Amino acid sequence: MSDLPPPVTKNSSRADLWEELEASREEIEAQQRELNALRANCKNLRRDLADAYMRLRVIQAAVTAYEVAA
């Protein structure tokens, strides 16, 4: 047998409906927190990538200047 509770329907009690609503709200909030954390991580990764790209461009400019001077 399944460990899941019976589904909530329009004929369910108000208490069952409220319990389902609260469970849904908690799940949505947990997903939103996870999404916010992923967005923050993505923002940090983009910043790190931009910094690395800037350093690469400086190195490329230095190599080009060295090659022209040689």
Side-chain angles (χ1 to χ4, degrees):
M1 268 268 112
S2 174
D3 292 334
L4 296 174
V8 176
T9 67
K10 66 180 182 177
N11 297 325
S12 297
S13 70
R14 291 178 81 104
D16 289 343
L17 292 170
W18 186 255
E19 184 180 336
E20 183 69 19
L21 179 64
E22 287 295 310
S24 295
R25 183 190 57 78
E26 289 172 12
E27 183 178 342
I28 290 167
E29 286 180 358
Q31 290 173 349
Q32 187 64 50
R33 284 190 299 273
E34 184 177 350
L35 181 60
N36 290 343
L38 289 171
R39 284 182 177 155
N41 190 36
C42 185
K43 183 178 178 181
N44 292 338
L45 289 172
R46 284 184 177 153
R47 185 192 63 233
D48 292 347
L49 181 60
D51 291 345
Y53 182 75
M54 182 67 72
R55 287 192 299 274
L56 176 63
R57 298 296 293 168
V58 168
I59 292 168
Q60 287 175 331
V63 168
T64 300
Y66 176 78
E67 289 174 349
V68 169

